[in-house]
Amino acid sequence: MLRLRFLFDIAFPALVMCLTGILLYSSVVSDTGYRSLSALEKEAAEKEAQLNELQARRIELEKRADLLNPKSLDPDLLDERIRGVLGYTREGDVVISRRELDRLLAD
């Protein structure tokens, strides 16, 4: 009877407290714990920013590819590309890059 009382009064609560402590510790410190969650959230935010940059770049490239489409070929773009590839400029030409022009028009 004394053994049974010892188990219910001391051993069982001590065991439950130890298991609770282990679970709390592992929920914070382990590989699947709270610290890892915050690191994964930070990495996800970085990847989201990188994805947004890549999507913006893709839209820019799609617009440029549309300008190079044979059905809607832009003569100014064609002239720009020919001069850029061959390295020709005439005396008095003012060369403004497309990005600079877009930036100026946006302001």
Side-chain angles (χ1 to χ4, degrees):
M1 190 69 167
L2 184 60
R3 277 184 146 177
L4 193 57
R5 182 115 176 117
F6 172 77
L7 286 175
F8 284 123
D9 288 344
I10 297 173
F12 185 68
L15 181 63
V16 169
M17 288 177 64
C18 287
L19 289 175
T20 303
I22 290 171
L23 289 175
L24 287 174
Y25 177 79
S26 65
S27 69
V28 173
V29 178
S30 72
D31 292 339
T32 58
Y34 183 73
R35 288 185 185 171
S36 295
L37 176 64
S38 62
L40 287 174
E41 287 174 346
K42 180 180 176 185
E43 184 180 344
E46 291 171 358
K47 296 293 181 181
E48 185 75 27
Q50 185 180 13
L51 176 65
N52 291 337
E53 290 175 14
L54 289 174
Q55 286 175 340
R57 176 76 175 138
R58 179 179 177 171
I59 290 170
E60 180 183 325
L61 289 174
E62 284 177 353
K63 287 179 183 178
R64 191 159 179 96
D66 287 341
L67 291 174
L68 292 172
N69 187 358
K71 295 178 184 174
S72 65
L73 191 59
D74 183 16
D76 291 333
L77 183 63
L78 180 62
D79 185 51
E80 174 190 335
R81 293 303 304 152
I82 289 172
R83 288 174 185 262
V85 170
L86 299 177
Y88 291 132
T89 57
R90 289 182 285 223
E91 187 67 33
D93 278 352
V94 177
V95 179
I96 300 175
S97 70
R98 185 150 191 101
R99 286 187 181 156
E100 183 68 20
L101 180 63
D102 289 341
R103 187 186 65 79
L104 291 173
L105 292 175
D107 291 339

